[in-house]
Amino acid sequence: MPTEGLIAAEDVLLFANAAITATSQREFHSDAHEQRLSLDFLHAYMLGNYRDLYAAALALDINDHNAALIIRHLLATSREATGQQRRTEGLLIARRFALLPPQRGYALVAELRKAKVNNRRTRAIVRDWLAARPDPAFDAVKYRTGVKTAMRHAHLPAPDAELGDFLFRPRAWAHFTAPLLETWRRAHYEQSAVYELPFTVAEGFAARHGIARTAFLDRIAPRMTRGERLRLQESARERGATAVLADLTTMPLTRLATYVLGLPPDTRVARRAELTGALRTAARRAAGPEAGTWGRVTAVLDDSYSTHASAHKRRRPLAVALAAHFLLDALAGTYTALWTSGRRDALLAHPYGATPLGERLVDALETRPDRLVVVSDGWDNAPPGMAAEVLRVWRERLDPDGRVAVVHLNPVYDADSFDVRRLSPAVPTAGIRDAEDLPSLVGLARFATGRSGLPELRAHLDTRIAAFLAPAGAAR
């Protein structure tokens, strides 16, 4: 296999791992500045050397932060794309833009405006994105500054005169015909109208009217989104206040695990049946048709002190491990979980102690699994390097035919190495952001062993792109 192909494949996998895990925020072992510099370098490197593969990353399970960065960089350098590459880029950008949360979409347009990126392709992307928004009046009320910026940047007229005046001349109308716009107007002097607005907008009016926080939260609860409920729950715990209860039945698996880990241990014990049932239900939903098809699975799950992460990503690595625990249980026919701390009660997981990955790997391999999945930040330190040696001996002497499929999933980006930290060259490693992506990431990780080159990776990416674009409808 040509050396250039192997290098290119390694570069793409390295970037994919970074784009899945890195958010330019502080991690346990590196600060935000280091994270940002490292990630910016990777984006510039990929854009300059593998533009088509850089764009293809939009079809992978990357996080929203990196998706927005890729879109911004591709739009800023539109002239460098030609022919079919340009067409595919346009489809990928439009599809991924549509999947961004609205607040991120509007923030991205603001960044494009600040960077003076306003070519024809950018205006078309923003125009189509705004046109596809399901409720222009809702966006105008909740994201007013963002909508104004987007319309100005793309040189767009308002959909109608009323909405245009609401955005740019709100006092020109004594009465709006659109119900939500009229509610916003009435909320300036009617307290009852406050509770008909989106939560984040209503908060400002509640403060203006001097409404007590407890009374406000009690009445506004039906208007709150799932994410708003979770954020409020977390902030209330920090202040020792009572929070609005979150709906566990619809919560995604990793988000649910984050919620559970934020509860005090005695609360988790008291609500054990409810929380465990919700986690198992979410895991079965995430497993889908693959439930029960993975045979004998053993997991080594990191709950060491470093899984506390940072103030920006509090307990995120541990939440991924907890969510992966329940998902692997759903995917497996027979399942064994080994936590680095030695604990057996997953519901009471908390960051504690060193990271004896080597010892746990020995225990895991003794169970003779079909698959061994390691979920860890890779900082093997008790003793240092034992995990790599265990995996080397296992692969070279005890299992040279690869009967046991071993994969390492790492939820933490390592700024110094421009990648997620690896346990061993003999074992594929992939970054992971949400446990729900675990099955697809296991498939991606196989390219990290060096046995597959760029043609195989390109074929895999082409398949992912086709699946990603399938629901997008008409081609751009």
Side-chain angles (χ1 to χ4, degrees), residues 1-19 41-42 45-46 49-50 53-54 60 413 417-420 422 424-431 444-458 461:
M1 184 180 300
T3 303
E4 310 85 63
L6 285 175
I7 293 174
E10 290 173 359
D11 288 345
V12 172
L13 291 169
L14 181 145
F15 177 72
N17 286 337
F41 169 80
L42 278 181
Y45 177 80
M46 287 296 297
N49 292 280
Y50 312 105
L53 297 175
Y54 181 64
L60 299 178
Y413 177 65
S417 66
F418 300 98
D419 197 0
V420 292
R422 300 173 182 272
S424 166
V427 171
T429 299
L444 182 63
R446 73 180 188 274
F447 295 101
T449 60
R451 298 174 184 175
S452 300
L454 191 58
E456 294 84 356
L457 181 56
R458 279 188 181 276
L461 291 174

Side-chain angles (χ1 to χ4, degrees), residues 13 16-21 59-63 290 294 320 324 327 331 371 373 375 406-411 420 428-448 460 464:
L13 291 169
N17 286 337
I20 289 167
T21 58
L60 299 178
D61 302 310
I62 63 174
N63 60 50
E290 291 190 67
W294 279 27
V320 173
L327 179 55
L331 290 167
R371 292 177 187 260
V373 180
V375 182
V406 184
V407 63
H408 171 211
L409 300 175
N410 192 329
V420 292
T429 299
I432 184 169
R433 172 71 177 169
D434 295 308
E436 294 90 317
D437 301 326
L438 187 150
S440 63
L441 291 172
V442 167
L444 182 63
R446 73 180 188 274
F447 295 101
H460 176 77
R464 293 297 300 270

Side-chain angles (χ1 to χ4, degrees), residues 294-301 328 332 334-339 357-375 387 390-391 394-395 399 402-409 423 426-429 438 442 445:
W294 279 27
R296 298 189 307 276
V297 177
T298 298
V300 173
L301 305 164
L328 289 169
T334 303
Y335 176 65
T336 303
L338 299 172
W339 294 86
L357 286 174
E359 294 180 13
R360 293 296 169 268
L361 284 170
V362 171
D363 297 337
L365 291 168
E366 286 180 349
T367 66
R368 298 183 179 278
D370 299 315
R371 292 177 187 260
L372 170 56
V373 180
V374 182
V375 182
V390 168
L391 291 170
W394 171 261
R395 189 57 81 209
D399 187 22
R403 294 186 302 273
V404 178
V406 184
V407 63
H408 171 211
L409 300 175
L423 289 178
V427 171
T429 299
L438 187 150
V442 167

Side-chain angles (χ1 to χ4, degrees), residues 256-278:
L256 178 57
T258 303
Y259 167 80
V260 170
L261 292 175
L263 297 173
D266 56 345
T267 302
R268 292 188 232 174
V269 171
R271 299 173 60 186
R272 179 182 294 278
E274 175 197 4
L275 297 175
T276 302

Side-chain angles (χ1 to χ4, degrees), residues 247-261:
D247 181 7
L248 306 187
T249 60
T250 61
M251 209 176 293
L253 178 57
T254 304
R255 199 72 186 266
L256 178 57
T258 303
Y259 167 80
V260 170
L261 292 175

Side-chain angles (χ1 to χ4, degrees), residues 216-233:
F216 168 70
L217 292 178
D218 184 56
R219 290 191 61 183
I220 199 65
R223 302 285 298 180
M224 295 171 66
T225 66
R226 181 176 60 202
E228 288 166 346
R229 287 173 178 269
L230 285 174
R231 287 191 292 272
L232 189 65
Q233 195 104 26

